[in-house]
Amino acid sequence: MLEQMRLLIKLQAVDKTVFLLEKEMEEIPRKLEKFAQEEKEAGMEFEKLSTDLARLKGQRKTLEDETETVKLRMRKAESKLMSSTNQREHRAAGAELDEGRDIIKSNEDIILEIMEKQEALEPKAAALEAAFNARRSAHAAAGEELARRQEEALKILREITSNRAETESLVDQVLIREYNFIRSRRQGVGISPVSKGNCGVCHMQIPPQQFNELLRGDKLMHCPSCKRIIYWADNESLHA
Ligand SMILES: [Zn+2]
């Protein structure tokens, strides 16, 4: 029995690490997906504001161009006004100048409103862009770290599992099936050391009579609470 337990303890040391590393690696694609999603959202927010700003800029340009055209027309109307010799031409040039002044005034008012909007939005857009860039570079660094960690985990897995099969082959078939069954349902842990009368994994107390039996170490026993295979942690011959 002792030799069998010694082998299971050896297997468990490997299997616990395998369990944790595999769990960690399973998380990696989810983490990367989360990064991508966050980046996409931050990018969309920034893009929306940029589009708003571009539209305002376009509106302002149209109005400024129109103002320039009107000013040009007004200069011609002014010279006509100076040079005209008849009343009709004089009146027409005067009306054109009035109309031009109205358009320019109206455009200037709208341009002012647009400028106020631009001034309010520009710092927001700059902040969003900075936040987006910061997030992207943080994600890039984190992604590299994850890739490095994955490589490291695979290396450890290869190393520690290289002679696992050999150890497993030395364990009694029934026992190994039971051990594998328990650990597959109990967070990768199928065997638990009992110290000072308590299960080392679930920490529940082992009834005194069972603990006494466990000290003898001559039969297979289970934690009454978590059902893991138990062994007496202070049995020095197990760790020899
Ligand atoms: Zn237990």
Side-chain angles (χ1 to χ4, degrees):
M1 197 64 220
L2 274 179
E3 178 54 23
Q4 291 288 300
M5 289 309 277
R6 226 194 322 261
L7 290 169
L8 280 189
I9 292 168
K10 209 169 147 189
L11 280 182
Q12 182 64 80
V14 171
D15 291 340
K16 182 67 185 172
T17 309
V18 170
F19 179 80
L20 293 174
L21 287 176
E22 282 178 348
K23 204 167 147 187
E24 186 185 331
M25 285 200 293
E26 264 172 38
E27 294 289 318
I28 291 176
R30 261 197 293 277
K31 282 181 184 163
L32 292 175
E33 175 58 33
K34 188 167 166 270
F35 288 169
Q37 186 59 30
E38 281 174 2
E39 246 171 62
K40 196 177 151 198
E41 279 164 20
M44 271 162 64
E45 209 179 340
F46 167 60
E47 212 168 291
K48 190 190 166 295
L49 209 51
S50 298
T51 310
D52 289 347
L53 273 170
R55 200 179 52 237
L56 288 174
K57 199 175 161 192
Q59 284 170 351
R60 184 172 157 185
K61 175 83 169 65
T62 306
L63 290 167
E64 282 167 352
D65 287 350
E66 190 190 32
T67 301
E68 280 313 301
T69 311
V70 169
K71 277 182 183 165
L72 206 69
R73 252 196 347 251
M74 283 172 74
R75 275 199 287 280
K76 281 182 193 158
E78 258 163 20
S79 55
K80 251 187 226 162
L81 195 71
M82 309 284 269
S83 62
S84 72
T85 48
N86 67 62
Q87 281 279 336
R88 197 179 54 79
E89 264 184 25
H90 198 87
R91 263 203 307 276
E96 190 155 11
L97 282 175
D98 286 342
E99 191 196 13
R101 270 190 290 270
D102 285 347
I103 292 171
I104 288 170
K105 174 76 179 66
S106 159
N107 282 2
E108 276 171 354
D109 288 346
I110 302 171
I111 287 170
L112 207 63
E113 276 175 35
I114 291 175
M115 283 167 76
E116 279 168 7
K117 284 185 192 161
Q118 281 178 314
E119 273 166 33
L121 289 182
E122 269 158 6
K124 282 184 195 165
L128 282 178
E129 187 179 18
F132 172 68
N133 287 334
R135 180 164 297 200
R136 196 166 49 179
S137 49
H139 284 174
E144 272 173 35
E145 173 58 24
L146 285 176
R148 194 194 60 73
R149 179 65 193 143
Q150 186 163 27
E151 205 175 305
E152 190 182 68
L154 285 170
K155 188 166 165 273
I156 297 171
L157 281 175
R158 268 197 306 275
E159 279 168 13
I160 64 173
T161 54
S162 64
N163 49 13
R164 188 195 179 284
E166 195 191 321
T167 309
E168 195 181 87
S169 70
L170 299 172
V171 184
D172 171 75
Q173 284 298 297
V174 178
L175 185 59
I176 196 71
R177 264 202 301 274
E178 185 172 340
Y179 162 75
N180 284 334
F181 178 81
I182 297 170
R183 74 183 175 93
S184 71
R185 279 159 179 75
R186 293 265 187 266
Q187 298 287 305
V189 182
I191 179 169
S192 170
V194 173
S195 181
K196 297 186 177 73
N198 292 312
C199 170
V201 180
C202 77
H203 307 298
M204 291 299 282
Q205 206 194 355
I206 309 295
Q209 200 194 329
Q210 284 186 39
F211 184 57
N212 286 334
E213 283 179 58
L214 188 69
L215 296 187
R216 288 204 295 275
D218 52 6
K219 67 172 198 175
L220 183 67
M221 292 183 68
H222 297 86
C223 167
S225 176
C226 72
K227 315 295 180 206
R228 291 183 173 93
I229 297 167
I230 46 175
Y231 62 94
W232 181 36
D234 300 329
N235 186 344
E236 279 172 15
S237 54
L238 277 178
H239 306 288

